[in-house]
Amino acid sequence: MVIRWPPPVPANQRVSRPRPDPENPKLKVDFSGIVERGIWPAKKKEYDAADEEEKTTRLCAMGLFEQMDARLRERSRNSMDVLFMETIIGSVDL
């Protein structure tokens, strides 16, 4: 993918349309993604095999998901099946 910003100004519009101010960016990029290791219960075995340090740093969302899963199963009498996903979202002005 190629993003060109600001777009080229046609020759017949160069006088009437000023180029964007580089100090005031005009391109906003919103992004989102899923952390593969943070999908519950798909990665439960990997979480169980991790050491305590990794569980508290890199896999901290999985610990929360485990607790939420247990609580939801208890409250629903095992009639609920859950899927939790750790996600990353952000926004950048270019």
Side-chain angles (χ1 to χ4, degrees), residues 3-17:
I3 299 175
R4 294 182 184 166
W5 194 260
V9 178
N12 62 349
Q13 294 179 2
R14 286 187 184 151
V15 176
S16 62
R17 189 176 117 198

Side-chain angles (χ1 to χ4, degrees), residues 58-75:
R58 296 183 62 211
L59 299 172
C60 58
M62 293 291 279
L64 175 64
F65 294 164
E66 182 177 41
Q67 293 171 11
M68 291 171 60
D69 184 37
R71 180 72 174 143
L72 289 170
R73 287 181 185 277
E74 175 188 314
R75 292 194 68 185

Side-chain angles (χ1 to χ4, degrees), residues 4-36:
R4 294 182 184 166
W5 194 260
V9 178
N12 62 349
Q13 294 179 2
R14 286 187 184 151
V15 176
S16 62
R17 189 176 117 198
R19 295 185 68 74
D21 180 10
E23 298 299 318
N24 186 11
K26 301 292 185 192
L27 178 64
K28 183 174 189 140
V29 177
D30 295 318
F31 58 91
S32 64
I34 298 172
V35 179
E36 181 190 4

Side-chain angles (χ1 to χ4, degrees), residues 2 5 7-8 16 18 24-25 44 50-51 56 58 70-71 79-80 89 92:
V2 175
W5 194 260
S16 62
N24 186 11
K44 184 179 184 320
D51 60 21
T56 58
R58 296 183 62 211
R71 180 72 174 143
S79 65
M80 188 180 293
I89 59 171
V92 179

